[in-house]
């Protein structure tokens, strides 16, 4: 087992502002601002097309004619880990990318984990998918760290899928999940399969613990098999 947390030098200072997160909405706002800072510019807002069908025509059948019904063939699917080939950095300008190896949270290795050390009590991580390509995120899988006291395990994670272009006024939903306080892995479904070019993750450490330990995440997308 390997603790990949790096120590924070006493000379390290936060950047020229302090962020106080008093509510989930405030957290989301900070994450959005950080995404717009790091995300590539010039992305075009995808075109949304809505097709309207006349329900009377849709339900119509030809009189005196038997219509044979058949089950539509099922498409073969595969689950892809979008964390493979992604890039990882701090979602806030707090220098935490110099104190922690964020990539270790997504390396799919059971024997590595990350320790959140004081004065930090949480992590804000920006994940940008490979090739700057929008992907559909269907689930987040979490493997807790092995061999540590459950009382020192990270408590929860907030997740937001970052859109391809500029954020709309309504923003994006923030999903909150309680992380398991055991060695059992847990898979959290992303309702509706949100699409975007990356994720913002806000991991909350164990209150009162000298260090909080975070296991391994997989960002899953169920796609049609080639």
């Amino acid at each position: 087992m390997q603790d990949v947390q790096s120590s924070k030098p006493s000379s390290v200072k936060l950047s020229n502002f302090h962020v106080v997160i008093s509510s989930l909405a405030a957290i989301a706002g900070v994450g959005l601002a950080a995404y717009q800072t790091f995300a590539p510019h010039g992305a075009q807002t995808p075109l949304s097309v809505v097709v309207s069908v006349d329900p009377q025509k849709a339900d119509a059948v030809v009189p005196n004619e038997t219509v044979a019904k058949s089950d539509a063939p099922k498409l073969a699917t595969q689950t892809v880990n979008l964390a493979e080939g992604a890039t990882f950095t701090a979602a806030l300008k707090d220098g935490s990318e110099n104190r922690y190896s964020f990539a270790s949270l997504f390396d799919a290795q059971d024997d590595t984990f990350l320790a959140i050390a004081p004065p930090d009590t949480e992590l804000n991580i920006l994940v940008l998918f490979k090739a700057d390509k929008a992907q559909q995120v269907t689930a987040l899988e979490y493997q807790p760290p092995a061999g540590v006291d459950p009382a020192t395990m990270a408590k929860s994670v907030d997740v937001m899928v970052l859109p391809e272009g500029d954020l709309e006024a309504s923003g994006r939903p923030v999903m909150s999940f309680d992380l398991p306080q055991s060695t059992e892995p847990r898979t959290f479904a992303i309702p509706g399969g949100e699409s975007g070019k990356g994720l913002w993750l806000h991991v909350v450490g164990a209150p009162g613990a000298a260090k909080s330990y975070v296991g391994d995440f997989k960002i899953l997308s169920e796609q049609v098999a080639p």
Side-chain angles (χ1 to χ4, degrees):
M1 185 181 301
Q2 178 184 358
D3 183 344
V4 298
Q5 182 270 335
S6 56
S7 61
K8 176 185 176 185
S10 59
S11 60
V12 173
K13 295 183 179 180
L14 297 180
S15 57
N16 54 2
F17 65 92
H18 296 274
V19 178
V20 178
I21 300 176
S22 59
S23 66
L24 191 58
I27 296 173
V30 172
L32 297 179
Y35 165 67
Q36 291 177 332
T37 298
F38 287 104
H41 298 288
Q44 297 296 321
T45 302
L47 178 64
S48 176
V49 178
V50 178
V51 179
S52 177
V53 178
D54 187 339
Q56 294 182 347
K57 293 181 180 179
D59 294 337
V61 296
V62 179
N64 301 322
E65 182 175 339
T66 301
V67 179
K69 294 184 178 180
S70 61
D71 294 332
K74 295 182 178 180
L75 296 176
T77 62
Q78 63 179 0
T79 301
V80 177
N81 182 11
L82 299 177
E84 295 179 359
T87 57
F88 313 98
T89 188
L92 302 182
K93 296 180 180 179
D94 58 2
S96 57
E97 71 277 8
N98 299 320
R99 301 192 295 275
Y100 301 100
S101 175
F102 293 135
S104 66
L105 294 176
F106 305 90
D107 61 4
Q109 300 295 322
D110 294 339
D111 60 345
T112 63
F113 52 85
L114 188 149
I116 305 174
D120 298 319
T121 59
E122 60 187 19
L123 298 175
N124 282 278
I125 307 165
L126 182 67
V127 182
L128 296 177
F129 298 146
K130 182 180 179 180
D132 191 32
K133 181 181 178 182
Q135 300 282 357
Q136 185 181 51
V137 182
T138 56
L140 186 71
E141 183 180 297
Y142 179 69
Q143 174 64 57
V148 302
D149 184 351
T152 64
M153 293 181 178
K155 296 301 182 183
S156 64
V157 60
D158 302 317
V159 183
M160 180 169 59
V161 181
L162 302 173
E164 184 174 5
D166 293 336
L167 289 171
E168 57 271 20
S170 57
R172 279 291 181 97
V174 177
M175 292 150 280
S176 298
F177 304 109
D178 292 329
L179 298 177
Q181 308 300 294
S182 68
T183 58
E184 294 298 320
R186 188 79 57 81
T187 300
F188 307 104
I190 305 298
E194 293 278 345
S195 292
K197 286 193 173 184
L199 286 186
W200 163 70
L201 297 177
H202 171 241
V203 182
V204 179
K211 289 185 178 181
S212 295
Y213 296 95
V214 190
D216 197 84
F217 291 99
K218 290 182 180 179
I219 305 169
L220 305 181
S221 176
E222 188 174 8
Q223 303 176 354
V224 177

